[in-house]
Amino acid sequence: RVSFHHLTAYWRTLPSGSWELRFSYKDENGWTRRGSVTGKTKDDARDARDDILRAVKDGRKVVRAAKVPTLSTWIDGWLVDVLPHSGRAANTRKMYASLLTNQAKSTALAKHRITELRPSQLQALVGSATKADGTALAHSSKRNLFAALTACLQTAVDDGLLGDNPMRKAKRPKNPNPGRQAEGRALTPDQVTALLAKVDDHRHGVLVRVALLTGMRRGELIGLTWDAVGFDTGTLRVRQQVTGDDTAGSYQLAGGGT
């Protein structure tokens, strides 16, 4: 038997072999509330009990398991009701939506209720994320997926459905090649000359030449239009760039720049 402030609860095994936890507690108005949760194993039921204890301790409502959304359902609602009004940049919103839809919602974990999610499970979800062709997701994309899941589940904490955000205890993906990211490498003058000669007749030769002479990024180069070229002044204006998510194969133009 478990007692915690105004909450009392006890265990029993059901004929099916699963475990049931019946409980009662007093709400903020002094009314006695009763309910029960079940689990396939005693660990599942114990986790449900811990969620109840945390909810009562924090003064949050105890949500019946049948009313707790799955991760997939929660993501759907978050993408529609929360993310568009979060103040994040448009590119970030599109990236979060793509990663959550193509990565988190496509896993078996998406069918779990959000109160059942564990840090180790979510960490494994991010670490094993792959592209559509089965190759590993880029490290930067994994970190963005980690951030998207953290923000998504934090809303469940703010709404009183979760006592703690399981992503806070999950480990952020580590860069498998930290040395490559830390140290940049520039082409030598001889290498630049050789490269220009190699792409001189290539259909992307002009793109490569502009990149070498201006240092513009790939998205900025692809986003160039004729009205951004100042033929009289010999200048280029970066007014937009192409952004997108390689995992989904979708790209869009984003304005801004000088």
Side-chain angles (χ1 to χ4, degrees):
R1 192 177 181 88
V2 179
S3 296
F4 187 83
H5 294 300
H6 299 297
L7 180 141
T8 59
Y10 66 90
W11 301 90
R12 78 176 183 128
T13 54
L14 300 176
S16 62
S18 59
W19 290 82
E20 180 186 35
L21 174 62
R22 293 188 175 184
F23 62 92
S24 63
Y25 67 99
K26 291 185 181 295
D27 63 16
E28 64 276 9
N29 298 317
W31 292 90
T32 299
R33 306 292 183 182
R34 294 180 175 85
S36 66
V37 292
T38 59
K40 293 182 180 180
T41 66
K42 193 170 184 178
D43 285 341
D44 291 338
R46 184 180 292 111
D47 289 339
R49 177 204 64 187
D50 292 342
D51 289 337
I52 294 169
L53 294 178
R54 284 193 293 266
V56 174
K57 180 179 179 181
D58 298 340
R60 297 180 286 107
K61 60 184 178 181
V62 177
V63 183
R64 292 182 61 85
K67 295 183 180 180
V68 177
T70 62
L71 176 59
S72 179
T73 301
W74 183 257
I75 288 174
D76 288 338
W78 189 78
L79 293 178
V80 173
D81 300 327
V82 179
L83 183 60
H85 314 290
S86 64
R88 292 179 173 86
N91 290 340
T92 301
R93 297 198 303 270
K94 292 178 181 178
M95 176 180 60
Y96 278 14
S98 176
L99 288 171
L100 289 174
T101 300
N102 295 304
Q103 298 297 330
K105 280 175 58 65
S106 64
T107 66
L109 200 60
K111 299 179 181 179
H112 290 219
R113 300 189 186 279
I114 58 174
T115 52
E116 300 170 345
L117 300 175
R118 300 293 171 254
S120 58
Q121 295 174 316
L122 294 164
Q123 184 175 320
L125 183 155
V126 175
S128 60
T130 60
K131 299 179 183 179
D133 60 4
T135 59
L137 201 64
H139 170 68
S140 59
S141 295
K142 288 184 178 181
R143 289 181 67 88
N144 288 328
L145 174 59
F146 187 97
L149 282 168
T150 301
C152 182
L153 292 175
Q154 184 59 41
T155 302
V157 176
D158 297 339
D159 285 352
L161 296 179
L162 291 176
D164 298 299
N165 188 341
M167 290 299 297
R168 300 295 182 188
K169 295 182 180 179
K171 295 181 180 179
R172 191 180 298 273
K174 292 184 178 180
N175 187 353
N177 300 297
R180 289 172 54 187
Q181 182 177 3
E183 182 179 355
R185 189 178 65 176
L187 297 177
T188 65
D190 289 341
Q191 289 173 329
V192 170
T193 301
L195 178 59
L196 289 175
K198 198 74 174 180
V199 301
D200 190 43
D201 296 327
H202 194 276
R203 65 191 183 98
H204 292 152
V206 174
L207 200 66
V208 174
R209 184 176 295 274
V210 174
L212 289 171
L213 295 177
T214 65
M216 292 171 62
R217 299 172 179 174
R218 181 180 62 173
E220 295 171 340
L221 289 165
I222 300 175
L224 280 176
T225 53
W226 285 115
D227 60 350
V229 182
F231 291 100
D232 296 334
T233 59
T235 59
L236 289 174
R237 293 183 62 85
V238 180
R239 295 173 176 170
Q240 59 187 9
Q241 60 180 321
V242 173
T243 62
D245 179 14
D246 291 339
T247 64
S250 60
Y251 303 92
Q252 56 278 325
L253 280 173
T258 58

